[in-house]
């Protein structure tokens, strides 16, 4: 379960100030409902994707005993 700032607060915050977990969570959520998003939702999702790309993506290079290769958002 996601525990963090909601979209209302985040929409008033620059994407560069979002945490990686927030970007990952809302990217996943918007990706699941992409066919149903209106223009504003599609624009928000596109901005999230651009910020993830600007940070170099969400992939971990290697796993260790305490971390897998995926960024977990909850």
């Amino acid at each position: 379960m996601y525990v963090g700032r909601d979209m209302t607060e985040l929409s008033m915050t620059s994407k560069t100030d979002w945490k990686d977990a927030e970007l990952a969570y809302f990217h996943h959520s918007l990706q699941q409902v992409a066919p149903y998003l209106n223009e504003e939702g599609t624009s928000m999702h596109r901005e999230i994707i651009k910020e993830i790309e600007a940070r170099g993506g969400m992939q971990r290079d290697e796993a260790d005993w305490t971390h897998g290769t995926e960024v977990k958002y909850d």
Side-chain angles (χ1 to χ4, degrees), residues 2 6-7 10 14 18 22-23 28 31 34 36 42-43 48-51 54-55 59 61-62 65-67 73-74:
Y2 172 75
D6 65 0
M7 185 57 84
L10 289 171
S14 170
W18 287 29
E22 292 166 337
L23 288 168
H28 178 73
Q31 186 178 33
Y36 310 105
T42 303
S43 175
I48 290 170
I49 292 170
K50 285 181 183 178
E51 181 59 28
R55 294 183 187 191
Q59 303 296 328
D61 292 331
E62 58 184 68
W65 289 102
T66 59
H67 298 92
Y73 45 82
D74 55 36

Side-chain angles (χ1 to χ4, degrees), residues 20-43:
D20 287 347
E22 292 166 337
L23 288 168
Y25 176 77
F26 285 106
H27 169 58
H28 178 73
S29 297
L30 292 171
Q31 186 178 33
Q32 297 298 310
V33 297
Y36 310 105
L37 292 175
N38 62 12
E39 187 174 331
E40 185 178 351
T42 303
S43 175

